[in-house]
Amino acid sequence: MADSSFDIVSKVDHQEVANAVNQAAKEISQRYDFKNVGASVELAGETIKMTANSEERCKAVLDVLQTKLVKRGVSLKHLDYSNDGEPRASGKEYRLEAALTEGISTENAKKVSKIIREEGPKGVKAQIQGEELRVTSKSRDDLQEVQRLLKSKELDFAIQFTNYR
C-alpha cells in the first residue's frame, strides 16, 4: 500500500481579503463615528493601508478591518503590521499599514517539523519543500492525528492542510 500524505501551507485567499477590505471601507464610509475624520482603508497590492486623523480612529479602522477578515475566514496571523501595530503620524493624518504574508519560513518549517517528530505518532515523516511541508505516513489515522496536534498548538503563523491523499 502506498504512503498517504498531505501538505502544510500558509496561503492567503486574496479574494476574501479584497472582499473584507471593501466591506470595511463601506462600513467606515457609513458609520457616524467615522464622519469627518478622514478614515479610510484600501488594499494596494500585498499591503492594506489604513488612515485617519487621530490615532484612536486609526485603531478603530483596524478593528473594523480585523472583524471583517475574521468573518470571512482569513486568519489575522497573515497580517504583518508596520510599527508593531501602532499608527504613525504623517502630516495631519495617522497611517497604519499591514502587509499580507504567505508561505512558511524555513525556521517556522523546522519548528513544525520538530513538533511532528517529537510529539506526533511514530512513522510520520515531515519534509520541507520550499515554503511548505509535506507530511507522509503509512496510516491515514496518523496523518489526522498530526493535523489535530498542529491545530492544538499556538503557532505564530497561519497554516492550512492541502493535497490530502
Short mmCIF file of all heavy atoms in Angstrom, two decimals, residues 92-144:
data_model
loop_
_atom_site.label_atom_id
_atom_site.label_comp_id
_atom_site.label_asym_id
_atom_site.label_seq_id
_atom_site.Cartn_x
_atom_site.Cartn_y
_atom_site.Cartn_z
N LYS A 92 -0.93 65.57 8.72
CA LYS A 92 -2.08 65.77 9.59
C LYS A 92 -2.86 64.48 9.84
O LYS A 92 -3.89 64.50 10.50
CB LYS A 92 -3.03 66.80 8.98
CG LYS A 92 -2.48 68.20 8.98
CD LYS A 92 -3.51 69.18 8.47
CE LYS A 92 -2.96 70.59 8.53
NZ LYS A 92 -3.92 71.58 8.05
N GLU A 93 -2.38 63.37 9.30
CA GLU A 93 -3.12 62.13 9.48
C GLU A 93 -2.23 61.03 10.05
O GLU A 93 -1.01 61.13 10.03
CB GLU A 93 -3.76 61.68 8.17
CG GLU A 93 -2.78 61.36 7.07
CD GLU A 93 -3.48 60.99 5.77
OE1 GLU A 93 -4.67 61.32 5.59
OE2 GLU A 93 -2.81 60.39 4.92
N TYR A 94 -2.88 60.02 10.55
CA TYR A 94 -2.18 58.84 11.08
C TYR A 94 -2.35 57.70 10.09
O TYR A 94 -3.44 57.50 9.55
CB TYR A 94 -2.74 58.45 12.45
CG TYR A 94 -2.27 59.37 13.55
CD1 TYR A 94 -2.89 60.60 13.75
CD2 TYR A 94 -1.21 59.02 14.36
CE1 TYR A 94 -2.46 61.46 14.75
CE2 TYR A 94 -0.77 59.87 15.37
CZ TYR A 94 -1.40 61.08 15.56
OH TYR A 94 -0.96 61.91 16.54
N ARG A 95 -1.27 56.96 9.88
CA ARG A 95 -1.30 55.86 8.93
C ARG A 95 -0.86 54.57 9.61
O ARG A 95 -0.01 54.59 10.49
CB ARG A 95 -0.35 56.11 7.77
CG ARG A 95 -0.72 57.24 6.89
CD ARG A 95 0.35 57.49 5.85
NE ARG A 95 -0.01 58.63 5.05
CZ ARG A 95 -0.24 58.57 3.75
NH1 ARG A 95 -0.10 57.44 3.12
NH2 ARG A 95 -0.56 59.65 3.08
N LEU A 96 -1.45 53.48 9.15
CA LEU A 96 -1.05 52.16 9.60
C LEU A 96 -1.11 51.23 8.39
O LEU A 96 -2.07 51.29 7.62
CB LEU A 96 -2.00 51.65 10.70
CG LEU A 96 -1.72 50.27 11.27
CD1 LEU A 96 -0.35 50.24 11.94
CD2 LEU A 96 -2.78 49.88 12.27
N GLU A 97 -0.06 50.44 8.22
CA GLU A 97 -0.02 49.51 7.11
C GLU A 97 0.13 48.09 7.62
O GLU A 97 0.79 47.85 8.63
CB GLU A 97 1.15 49.84 6.16
CG GLU A 97 1.00 51.16 5.47
CD GLU A 97 2.13 51.44 4.48
OE1 GLU A 97 3.06 50.62 4.39
OE2 GLU A 97 2.06 52.48 3.82
N ALA A 98 -0.51 47.17 6.91
CA ALA A 98 -0.42 45.75 7.25
C ALA A 98 -0.11 44.99 5.96
O ALA A 98 -0.87 45.04 5.00
CB ALA A 98 -1.73 45.24 7.84
N ALA A 99 1.04 44.32 5.94
CA ALA A 99 1.43 43.53 4.77
C ALA A 99 0.87 42.12 4.91
O ALA A 99 0.83 41.56 6.01
CB ALA A 99 2.94 43.49 4.66
N LEU A 100 0.43 41.55 3.80
CA LEU A 100 -0.06 40.17 3.80
C LEU A 100 1.14 39.23 3.65
O LEU A 100 1.96 39.41 2.75
CB LEU A 100 -1.03 39.94 2.63
CG LEU A 100 -2.33 40.73 2.71
CD1 LEU A 100 -3.10 40.57 1.40
CD2 LEU A 100 -3.16 40.27 3.88
N THR A 101 1.25 38.26 4.54
CA THR A 101 2.37 37.32 4.49
C THR A 101 1.87 35.94 4.09
O THR A 101 0.83 35.49 4.57
CB THR A 101 3.10 37.23 5.83
OG1 THR A 101 2.17 36.85 6.84
CG2 THR A 101 3.73 38.55 6.21
N GLU A 102 2.63 35.29 3.23
CA GLU A 102 2.31 33.94 2.78
C GLU A 102 3.56 33.09 2.86
O GLU A 102 4.68 33.61 2.84
CB GLU A 102 1.81 33.95 1.32
CG GLU A 102 0.42 34.44 1.14
CD GLU A 102 -0.08 34.18 -0.27
OE1 GLU A 102 0.51 34.73 -1.21
OE2 GLU A 102 -1.04 33.43 -0.41
N GLY A 103 3.36 31.79 2.90
CA GLY A 103 4.49 30.87 2.92
C GLY A 103 5.00 30.65 4.33
O GLY A 103 4.82 31.48 5.22
N ILE A 104 5.62 29.52 4.53
CA ILE A 104 6.19 29.17 5.82
C ILE A 104 7.70 29.36 5.72
O ILE A 104 8.34 28.76 4.86
CB ILE A 104 5.85 27.71 6.20
CG1 ILE A 104 4.33 27.51 6.24
CG2 ILE A 104 6.47 27.34 7.53
CD1 ILE A 104 3.91 26.08 6.46
N SER A 105 8.25 30.19 6.59
CA SER A 105 9.69 30.43 6.56
C SER A 105 10.43 29.15 6.97
O SER A 105 9.86 28.25 7.58
CB SER A 105 10.06 31.57 7.51
OG SER A 105 9.87 31.16 8.85
N THR A 106 11.70 29.08 6.65
CA THR A 106 12.49 27.89 6.94
C THR A 106 12.53 27.60 8.43
O THR A 106 12.38 26.46 8.85
CB THR A 106 13.93 28.06 6.40
OG1 THR A 106 13.86 28.38 5.01
CG2 THR A 106 14.73 26.80 6.57
N GLU A 107 12.70 28.66 9.25
CA GLU A 107 12.77 28.42 10.70
C GLU A 107 11.43 27.95 11.25
O GLU A 107 11.38 27.07 12.12
CB GLU A 107 13.26 29.65 11.43
CG GLU A 107 12.30 30.83 11.44
CD GLU A 107 12.86 32.03 12.16
OE1 GLU A 107 13.98 32.45 11.84
OE2 GLU A 107 12.15 32.54 13.05
N ASN A 108 10.32 28.49 10.73
CA ASN A 108 8.99 28.02 11.17
C ASN A 108 8.73 26.59 10.70
O ASN A 108 8.13 25.79 11.42
CB ASN A 108 7.89 28.95 10.67
CG ASN A 108 7.86 30.27 11.42
OD1 ASN A 108 8.33 30.36 12.55
ND2 ASN A 108 7.32 31.30 10.80
N ALA A 109 9.20 26.27 9.49
CA ALA A 109 9.04 24.90 8.98
C ALA A 109 9.82 23.92 9.87
O ALA A 109 9.35 22.82 10.15
CB ALA A 109 9.54 24.82 7.54
N LYS A 110 10.99 24.34 10.32
CA LYS A 110 11.78 23.49 11.22
C LYS A 110 11.07 23.30 12.56
O LYS A 110 11.11 22.21 13.13
CB LYS A 110 13.18 24.09 11.43
CG LYS A 110 14.06 23.94 10.22
CD LYS A 110 15.43 24.55 10.44
CE LYS A 110 16.28 24.41 9.19
NZ LYS A 110 17.59 25.06 9.35
N LYS A 111 10.41 24.36 13.07
CA LYS A 111 9.65 24.24 14.32
C LYS A 111 8.54 23.22 14.18
O LYS A 111 8.35 22.36 15.05
CB LYS A 111 9.03 25.59 14.69
CG LYS A 111 9.96 26.60 15.29
CD LYS A 111 9.16 27.84 15.66
CE LYS A 111 10.05 29.04 15.87
NZ LYS A 111 9.28 30.27 16.06
N VAL A 112 7.77 23.32 13.08
CA VAL A 112 6.65 22.39 12.85
C VAL A 112 7.18 20.97 12.69
O VAL A 112 6.61 20.02 13.25
CB VAL A 112 5.83 22.82 11.61
CG1 VAL A 112 4.80 21.77 11.25
CG2 VAL A 112 5.15 24.15 11.87
N SER A 113 8.25 20.82 11.94
CA SER A 113 8.85 19.50 11.74
C SER A 113 9.28 18.90 13.08
O SER A 113 9.08 17.70 13.33
CB SER A 113 10.03 19.63 10.79
OG SER A 113 10.61 18.39 10.54
N LYS A 114 9.85 19.73 13.95
CA LYS A 114 10.29 19.26 15.26
C LYS A 114 9.10 18.82 16.11
O LYS A 114 9.16 17.80 16.79
CB LYS A 114 11.07 20.37 15.96
CG LYS A 114 11.66 19.96 17.29
CD LYS A 114 12.48 21.07 17.91
CE LYS A 114 13.03 20.63 19.24
NZ LYS A 114 13.69 21.71 19.96
N ILE A 115 8.00 19.59 16.07
CA ILE A 115 6.79 19.23 16.81
C ILE A 115 6.27 17.87 16.34
O ILE A 115 5.93 17.01 17.15
CB ILE A 115 5.69 20.31 16.64
CG1 ILE A 115 6.09 21.59 17.37
CG2 ILE A 115 4.35 19.81 17.16
CD1 ILE A 115 5.20 22.78 17.06
N ILE A 116 6.23 17.67 15.02
CA ILE A 116 5.75 16.40 14.46
C ILE A 116 6.65 15.25 14.89
O ILE A 116 6.18 14.19 15.28
CB ILE A 116 5.64 16.49 12.92
CG1 ILE A 116 4.55 17.48 12.52
CG2 ILE A 116 5.38 15.12 12.32
CD1 ILE A 116 4.53 17.82 11.05
N ARG A 117 7.96 15.48 14.83
CA ARG A 117 8.93 14.45 15.19
C ARG A 117 8.83 14.06 16.66
O ARG A 117 8.86 12.88 17.01
CB ARG A 117 10.34 14.94 14.86
CG ARG A 117 11.27 13.90 14.35
CD ARG A 117 12.65 14.41 13.92
NE ARG A 117 13.15 15.60 14.59
CZ ARG A 117 13.21 16.81 14.02
NH1 ARG A 117 12.80 16.99 12.80
NH2 ARG A 117 13.69 17.84 14.69
N GLU A 118 8.72 15.07 17.54
CA GLU A 118 8.76 14.81 18.97
C GLU A 118 7.42 14.38 19.56
O GLU A 118 7.37 13.52 20.42
CB GLU A 118 9.26 16.05 19.72
CG GLU A 118 10.72 16.34 19.45
CD GLU A 118 11.20 17.60 20.14
OE1 GLU A 118 10.37 18.31 20.74
OE2 GLU A 118 12.42 17.86 20.08
N GLU A 119 6.31 14.98 19.09
CA GLU A 119 5.03 14.73 19.72
C GLU A 119 4.06 13.93 18.85
O GLU A 119 3.04 13.46 19.34
CB GLU A 119 4.36 16.06 20.10
CG GLU A 119 5.19 16.88 21.07
CD GLU A 119 4.57 18.23 21.36
OE1 GLU A 119 3.32 18.31 21.39
OE2 GLU A 119 5.32 19.19 21.57
N GLY A 120 4.38 13.80 17.57
CA GLY A 120 3.48 13.10 16.66
C GLY A 120 3.66 11.59 16.73
O GLY A 120 4.56 11.09 17.40
N PRO A 121 2.79 10.86 16.04
CA PRO A 121 2.90 9.39 16.01
C PRO A 121 4.20 8.95 15.34
O PRO A 121 4.77 9.67 14.52
CB PRO A 121 1.70 8.97 15.15
CG PRO A 121 0.83 10.17 15.03
CD PRO A 121 1.66 11.37 15.28
N LYS A 122 4.66 7.77 15.70
CA LYS A 122 5.88 7.21 15.10
C LYS A 122 5.59 6.86 13.63
O LYS A 122 4.48 6.51 13.26
CB LYS A 122 6.32 5.94 15.83
CG LYS A 122 6.63 6.17 17.30
CD LYS A 122 7.86 7.04 17.46
CE LYS A 122 8.15 7.29 18.92
NZ LYS A 122 8.63 8.63 19.16
N GLY A 123 6.60 6.95 12.81
CA GLY A 123 6.44 6.59 11.40
C GLY A 123 5.93 7.72 10.53
O GLY A 123 5.70 7.53 9.34
N VAL A 124 5.74 8.89 11.11
CA VAL A 124 5.31 10.06 10.33
C VAL A 124 6.54 10.89 10.00
O VAL A 124 7.34 11.19 10.87
CB VAL A 124 4.29 10.91 11.13
CG1 VAL A 124 3.93 12.16 10.36
CG2 VAL A 124 3.05 10.10 11.43
N LYS A 125 6.68 11.22 8.72
CA LYS A 125 7.84 12.00 8.28
C LYS A 125 7.39 13.36 7.75
O LYS A 125 6.43 13.43 7.01
CB LYS A 125 8.58 11.24 7.18
CG LYS A 125 9.23 9.95 7.64
CD LYS A 125 9.98 9.26 6.51
CE LYS A 125 10.59 7.97 6.95
NZ LYS A 125 9.60 6.94 7.26
N ALA A 126 8.12 14.40 8.12
CA ALA A 126 7.87 15.75 7.61
C ALA A 126 9.06 16.19 6.79
O ALA A 126 10.19 16.08 7.23
CB ALA A 126 7.63 16.71 8.77
N GLN A 127 8.79 16.68 5.60
CA GLN A 127 9.84 17.07 4.66
C GLN A 127 9.61 18.51 4.23
O GLN A 127 8.51 18.85 3.78
CB GLN A 127 9.76 16.12 3.47
CG GLN A 127 10.92 16.12 2.55
CD GLN A 127 10.72 15.04 1.48
OE1 GLN A 127 9.61 14.61 1.21
NE2 GLN A 127 11.80 14.65 0.86
N ILE A 128 10.60 19.37 4.37
CA ILE A 128 10.47 20.77 3.98
C ILE A 128 10.68 20.88 2.47
O ILE A 128 11.68 20.42 1.94
CB ILE A 128 11.49 21.65 4.73
CG1 ILE A 128 11.26 21.55 6.24
CG2 ILE A 128 11.42 23.09 4.26
CD1 ILE A 128 12.33 22.20 7.08
N GLN A 129 9.69 21.50 1.80
CA GLN A 129 9.77 21.70 0.35
C GLN A 129 9.48 23.17 0.04
O GLN A 129 8.34 23.56 -0.14
CB GLN A 129 8.75 20.82 -0.38
CG GLN A 129 9.00 19.35 -0.20
CD GLN A 129 7.95 18.50 -0.90
OE1 GLN A 129 6.82 18.92 -1.07
NE2 GLN A 129 8.35 17.30 -1.29
N GLY A 130 10.53 23.97 0.02
CA GLY A 130 10.35 25.40 -0.24
C GLY A 130 9.61 26.07 0.91
O GLY A 130 10.09 26.06 2.04
N GLU A 131 8.43 26.62 0.62
CA GLU A 131 7.64 27.32 1.64
C GLU A 131 6.50 26.47 2.16
O GLU A 131 5.49 26.99 2.64
CB GLU A 131 7.11 28.64 1.07
CG GLU A 131 8.21 29.64 0.79
CD GLU A 131 7.67 31.00 0.41
OE1 GLU A 131 6.53 31.09 -0.07
OE2 GLU A 131 8.39 31.98 0.60
N GLU A 132 6.62 25.15 2.03
CA GLU A 132 5.59 24.26 2.56
C GLU A 132 6.23 22.99 3.09
O GLU A 132 7.41 22.74 2.87
CB GLU A 132 4.53 23.95 1.50
CG GLU A 132 5.05 23.28 0.25
CD GLU A 132 3.97 23.11 -0.79
OE1 GLU A 132 3.20 24.06 -1.04
OE2 GLU A 132 3.89 22.00 -1.36
N LEU A 133 5.45 22.21 3.82
CA LEU A 133 5.92 20.94 4.37
C LEU A 133 5.07 19.81 3.81
O LEU A 133 3.85 19.94 3.72
CB LEU A 133 5.75 20.92 5.90
CG LEU A 133 6.95 21.30 6.73
CD1 LEU A 133 6.96 22.80 6.93
CD2 LEU A 133 6.86 20.63 8.07
N ARG A 134 5.70 18.70 3.45
CA ARG A 134 4.98 17.51 3.04
C ARG A 134 5.10 16.51 4.17
O ARG A 134 6.19 16.18 4.61
CB ARG A 134 5.59 16.96 1.74
CG ARG A 134 5.23 15.56 1.36
CD ARG A 134 3.98 15.34 0.52
NE ARG A 134 3.50 16.36 -0.35
CZ ARG A 134 3.66 16.37 -1.68
NH1 ARG A 134 4.38 15.45 -2.27
NH2 ARG A 134 3.11 17.31 -2.40
N VAL A 135 3.96 16.03 4.66
CA VAL A 135 3.92 15.08 5.76
C VAL A 135 3.43 13.75 5.20
O VAL A 135 2.38 13.69 4.55
CB VAL A 135 2.98 15.55 6.89
CG1 VAL A 135 2.96 14.56 8.02
CG2 VAL A 135 3.42 16.92 7.39
N THR A 136 4.22 12.66 5.41
CA THR A 136 3.85 11.35 4.88
C THR A 136 3.82 10.31 5.99
O THR A 136 4.53 10.42 6.99
CB THR A 136 4.86 10.88 3.80
OG1 THR A 136 6.17 10.86 4.38
CG2 THR A 136 4.86 11.80 2.59
N SER A 137 2.98 9.30 5.76
CA SER A 137 2.85 8.20 6.71
C SER A 137 2.15 7.05 6.01
O SER A 137 1.46 7.24 5.01
CB SER A 137 2.05 8.64 7.93
OG SER A 137 1.81 7.53 8.77
N LYS A 138 2.31 5.84 6.55
CA LYS A 138 1.60 4.68 6.01
C LYS A 138 0.12 4.73 6.41
O LYS A 138 -0.73 4.24 5.71
CB LYS A 138 2.23 3.39 6.54
CG LYS A 138 3.68 3.21 6.11
CD LYS A 138 3.83 1.97 5.28
CE LYS A 138 5.26 1.71 4.92
NZ LYS A 138 5.60 2.17 3.59
N SER A 139 -0.15 5.33 7.57
CA SER A 139 -1.50 5.34 8.13
C SER A 139 -2.16 6.71 7.99
O SER A 139 -1.59 7.72 8.40
CB SER A 139 -1.44 4.94 9.61
OG SER A 139 -2.64 5.25 10.25
N ARG A 140 -3.39 6.73 7.46
CA ARG A 140 -4.13 7.99 7.38
C ARG A 140 -4.54 8.48 8.76
O ARG A 140 -4.64 9.68 8.99
CB ARG A 140 -5.38 7.82 6.51
CG ARG A 140 -5.06 7.72 5.05
CD ARG A 140 -6.31 7.56 4.22
NE ARG A 140 -5.97 7.71 2.83
CZ ARG A 140 -6.54 8.59 2.01
NH1 ARG A 140 -7.50 9.34 2.45
NH2 ARG A 140 -6.15 8.67 0.76
N ASP A 141 -4.76 7.55 9.68
CA ASP A 141 -5.11 7.93 11.05
C ASP A 141 -3.97 8.73 11.69
O ASP A 141 -4.22 9.69 12.43
CB ASP A 141 -5.41 6.69 11.90
CG ASP A 141 -6.69 5.98 11.46
OD1 ASP A 141 -7.52 6.64 10.78
OD2 ASP A 141 -6.85 4.80 11.80
N ASP A 142 -2.73 8.33 11.41
CA ASP A 142 -1.58 9.07 11.94
C ASP A 142 -1.53 10.48 11.37
O ASP A 142 -1.21 11.44 12.09
CB ASP A 142 -0.27 8.33 11.63
CG ASP A 142 -0.08 7.08 12.46
OD1 ASP A 142 -0.87 6.88 13.42
OD2 ASP A 142 0.84 6.29 12.15
N LEU A 143 -1.87 10.63 10.09
CA LEU A 143 -1.88 11.96 9.47
C LEU A 143 -2.95 12.84 10.12
O LEU A 143 -2.72 14.03 10.38
CB LEU A 143 -2.12 11.86 7.97
CG LEU A 143 -0.99 11.21 7.15
CD1 LEU A 143 -1.37 11.16 5.68
CD2 LEU A 143 0.32 11.94 7.34
N GLN A 144 -4.11 12.26 10.39
CA GLN A 144 -5.17 13.04 11.04
C GLN A 144 -4.75 13.41 12.46
O GLN A 144 -5.08 14.50 12.95
CB GLN A 144 -6.47 12.25 11.05
CG GLN A 144 -7.08 12.13 9.66
CD GLN A 144 -8.28 11.22 9.60
OE1 GLN A 144 -8.52 10.44 10.51
NE2 GLN A 144 -9.04 11.35 8.53
#
